[in-house]
Amino acid sequence: NPKENKSYDNTKSREKYKLVYELSEKYNCSVAQVIVSALCGNEDFLTVPIIGGLEENQIIDSLKGADLKMNQSDVFSLLKRD
């Protein structure tokens, strides 16, 4: 539904995706792994990400993010609210 997606299609979301993509290149991993790593690696907020996917390889890829260690400044830049 185009109306539902409209709330996510904005400048802040596009900038955040660009950052996630840049971090995936920096750490040589997938975008999903960056997100999972940031959620698991946030020292200030305990979180347990719920991982899912349509195919088994998507789930396996996302799970690898739990082992990815990003530096705290990258985690902070990704999770901070603008």
Side-chain angles (χ1 to χ4, degrees):
N1 187 342
K3 287 184 180 181
E4 292 174 5
N5 293 333
K6 200 172 202 177
S7 64
Y8 295 106
D9 185 17
N10 58 59
T11 303
K12 285 185 180 181
S13 292
R14 281 182 246 123
E15 289 172 358
K16 195 64 80 168
Y17 180 78
K18 181 180 176 189
L19 175 60
V20 171
Y21 184 79
E22 289 169 356
L23 289 172
S24 74
E25 289 184 332
K26 176 180 178 177
Y27 290 98
N28 194 30
C29 64
S30 70
V31 167
Q33 289 173 19
V34 168
I35 299 299
V36 171
S37 177
L39 292 172
C40 291
N42 183 1
E43 296 174 352
D44 297 327
F45 185 75
L46 177 62
T47 217
V48 177
I50 299 172
I51 297 174
L54 297 175
E55 299 177 15
E56 182 181 353
N57 64 326
Q58 293 172 316
I59 296 169
I60 291 168
D61 179 65
S62 294
L63 287 171
K64 291 177 183 177
D67 294 326
L68 175 63
K69 303 298 181 210
M70 297 193 318
N71 68 49
Q72 284 301 298
S73 63
D74 287 340
V75 172
F76 178 77
S77 67
L78 188 57
L79 298 179
K80 73 177 179 176
R81 299 189 97 168
D82 297 324

